[in-house]
Amino acid sequence: MKKCIVIGVTGGIAAFKTCQLVSNLKKKDYDIHVIMTKNATEFIAPLTFESLSGNRVSIDTFDRNFEYSTQHISLAKKADCFVIVPATANVIAKIVHGLADDMLTTTFLACSCKKIICPAMNTGMLNNQITQENIMKCKELGYEIIDSDDGYLACGDIGKGKLADIDLIEQAIEKSLEKPLLKGKRICITAGPTQEAIDPVRFITNHSSGKMGHALAKIARNLGAEVTLIEGPTSLSDLPWINTIHVKSAKDMFNEVTKRADQFDCIIKAAAVADYTIKNPATQKVKKQENDLTLVLERTDDILAYLGQHKKENQILCGFAMETENLIENARNKCIKKNCDLVIANSINTEGAGFKTDTNKITIIRKDSIKEVDLMSKEECARIILEECFKGESYVTNN
Ligand code: CTP
């Protein structure tokens, strides 16, 4: 069944950003129900949210064309997550005191699901001690607060009070919808390419985008794990609620991974680490010459092989294998040689799989088994990989 997200919209100018949030979530196939306060309808027409969500917008508790007596209760029962975005000082004050004088606050009070509050208001209103105390009270009540940002506000002031980034709010919602199946687990994920310097302005790298590693980090985090992401240079933004360590070269990655490897219950090496680096990189820019230029390459240390050799008891080690030929054979050999529990093999020749795509076609290889997985999004692949990693442990189920 589709997860149900109730989005409460209150009367602030940031309400226009909620349209994008509803649109994004709808595309991900959630069941979205918007409740607006009367003031919110001064900023955005309910029809906008109705068109975007595909569901009728609730505003008035006593709407005569509607089953008013049950609407707030049925939505409250249905909701897997209730998020108020934007949340004005007024609505925050009401919800911490249990006031229920419209559809939004009535439904909120009746709801027992996860609740997320995204304040957006003028800096003065936000900094007012009463608002600060109310926000604190929300936290004590177990509501998640997505703090507003600093910036230029619609009133012309510059300061805190700007609605948090929509992507951040979306991630908080998706995180709240998951069962914490990996709670208490510490997982290290490596992602992206490495860069091996030729001189101060040039380097050798590969096509890795870091997307598969990011998908793994995001899903592991959503499932409640404590995630450390060790990432080579990518164009991706840092993920919230994840400890991200940025590295450049294979040597940096080796150092950052191995020095903390003992802390983790599971290490997933999705990074495309360079096998060779430049021997004696130039300290000054290399000038062009008439003749050919020869670069001397030397081997880097194999991080995965090192981790396999120094694996602590019960630690789960998952490698990746990107191949252009003999996928299964090569991946299985890597699994055995590097002492991995499993290796995720993908072929660069398969359409929809590989470096820069949002989808992947993986095969899960263990020393004694092979499991083919259909082409799917990298996030769906990530879920399957994590389930495979923790297979046999009681906290992982198949939903
Ligand atoms: N890997 C690593 N350190 C390296 C090279 C690779 O940790 N110096 C890891 C990768 O993160 C990946 C796995 O080893 O999880 C396999 O990487 P891949 O490049 O497919 O294979 P290699 O072992 O490097 O072998 P080859 O390049 O010959 O295929």
Side-chain angles (χ1 to χ4, degrees):
M1 206 170 74
K2 284 185 190 179
K3 292 262 163 77
C4 172
I5 303 166
V6 175
I7 301 188
V9 185
T10 65
I13 182 62
F16 80 93
K17 296 183 184 171
T18 313
C19 301
Q20 187 65 54
L21 179 69
V22 172
S23 165
N24 294 354
L25 291 168
K26 179 72 184 168
K27 279 183 202 143
K28 290 183 176 173
D29 210 25
Y30 293 110
D31 184 21
I32 314 285
H33 293 264
V34 175
I35 308 178
M36 301 175 80
T37 60
K38 275 229 170 69
N39 286 347
T41 63
E42 299 289 334
F43 290 91
I44 304 284
L47 182 62
T48 307
F49 286 121
E50 281 175 356
S51 310
L52 292 169
S53 70
N55 283 318
R56 183 176 169 155
V57 167
S58 315
I59 304 160
D60 189 350
T61 328
F62 301 105
D63 184 345
R64 294 278 156 214
N65 300 314
F66 216 29
E67 294 171 54
Y68 71 90
S69 56
T70 54
Q71 176 65 5
H72 66 291
I73 301 299
S74 69
L75 262 189
K77 279 188 186 149
K78 225 172 146 189
D80 293 297
C81 172
F82 194 131
V83 51
I84 304 185
V85 51
T88 55
N90 183 47
V91 84
I92 294 171
K94 281 191 195 174
I95 57 173
V96 298
H97 291 100
L99 292 180
D101 62 354
D102 59 12
M103 191 60 157
L104 195 158
T105 48
T106 314
T107 313
F108 191 88
L109 194 62
C111 252
S112 56
C113 66
K114 182 86 199 270
K115 292 167 176 168
I116 302 173
I117 315 294
C118 309
M121 64 195 78
N122 162 270
T123 308
M125 293 172 83
L126 183 66
N127 288 339
N128 190 304
Q129 196 187 337
I130 298 174
T131 310
Q132 286 302 312
E133 280 173 15
N134 287 339
I135 289 177
M136 194 54 77
K137 188 81 198 295
C138 280
K139 289 181 186 168
E140 284 164 23
L141 289 165
Y143 309 159
E144 185 170 354
I145 299 285
I146 307 296
D147 269 335
S148 49
D149 285 338
D150 274 308
Y152 180 81
L153 306 178
C155 54
D157 285 358
I158 294 175
K160 204 168 159 75
K162 202 171 131 169
L163 184 71
D165 197 64
I166 285 296
D167 180 54
L168 181 69
I169 297 171
E170 198 176 319
Q171 290 198 51
I173 294 171
E174 292 203 279
K175 186 156 76 75
S176 80
L177 294 171
E178 297 280 0
K179 285 193 192 143
L181 301 171
L182 295 178
K183 198 171 169 59
K185 296 292 162 191
R186 301 210 279 181
I187 304 182
C188 174
I189 292 158
T190 70
T194 59
Q195 284 182 358
E196 309 304 319
I198 296 170
D199 67 13
V201 291
R202 305 176 180 99
F203 53 79
I204 299 177
T205 190
N206 59 63
H207 292 294
S208 173
S209 63
K211 284 184 178 177
M212 191 63 238
H214 264 236
L216 280 160
K218 198 170 175 178
I219 300 295
R221 175 205 68 192
N222 288 358
L223 292 171
E226 190 184 311
V227 180
T228 299
L229 178 64
I230 303 180
E231 181 182 340
T234 71
S235 57
L236 304 173
S237 309
D238 277 359
L239 290 163
W241 309 296
I242 283 174
N243 173 28
T244 303
I245 297 162
H246 293 279
V247 297
K248 273 204 172 135
S249 65
K251 190 163 191 268
D252 298 341
M253 189 172 277
F254 181 91
N255 291 338
E256 293 298 334
V257 174
T258 56
K259 78 178 178 202
R260 45 175 73 75
D262 279 356
Q263 301 169 8
F264 301 114
D265 300 298
C266 172
I267 304 179
I268 305 180
K269 286 233 62 246
V273 187
D275 290 327
Y276 291 90
T277 190
I278 305 288
K279 194 171 187 172
N280 303 325
T283 51
Q284 302 299 328
K285 186 181 170 198
V286 177
K287 303 302 284 178
K288 64 175 165 298
Q289 306 157 15
E290 286 308 315
N291 304 325
D292 293 346
L293 175 70
T294 304
L295 295 172
V296 180
L297 302 177
E298 66 179 355
R299 280 287 307 270
T300 56
D301 289 322
D302 191 311
I303 309 166
L304 188 59
Y306 178 95
L307 294 172
Q309 279 162 18
H310 298 84
K311 198 150 100 74
K312 68 167 188 174
E313 219 189 323
N314 296 329
Q315 189 176 53
I316 300 155
L317 189 56
C318 173
F320 268 70
M322 169 67 86
E323 307 290 344
T324 53
E325 53 186 2
N326 304 327
L327 177 74
I328 307 293
E329 200 188 319
N330 285 338
R332 188 190 275 125
N333 286 341
K334 280 178 196 174
C335 187
I336 295 166
K337 222 169 108 195
K338 302 193 191 191
N339 194 25
C340 295
D341 295 284
L342 65 165
V343 161
I344 310 304
N346 44 35
S347 161
I348 198 165
N349 302 328
T350 311
E351 195 163 333
F355 288 124
K356 297 211 160 48
T357 56
D358 290 321
T359 51
N360 209 355
K361 170 91 183 72
I362 58 168
T363 307
I364 297 162
I365 298 188
R366 295 177 186 269
K367 283 161 200 148
D368 51 8
S369 69
I370 298 170
K371 187 171 170 181
E372 283 237 25
V373 181
D374 293 338
L375 182 80
M376 56 180 70
S377 76
K378 284 189 172 167
E379 289 194 9
E380 286 169 312
C381 287
R383 197 176 285 276
I384 289 176
I385 293 167
L386 287 160
E387 270 185 28
E388 279 290 330
C389 282
F390 289 94
K391 205 173 178 172
E393 298 205 24
S394 56
Y395 49 81
V396 171
T397 67
N398 274 331
N399 68 3

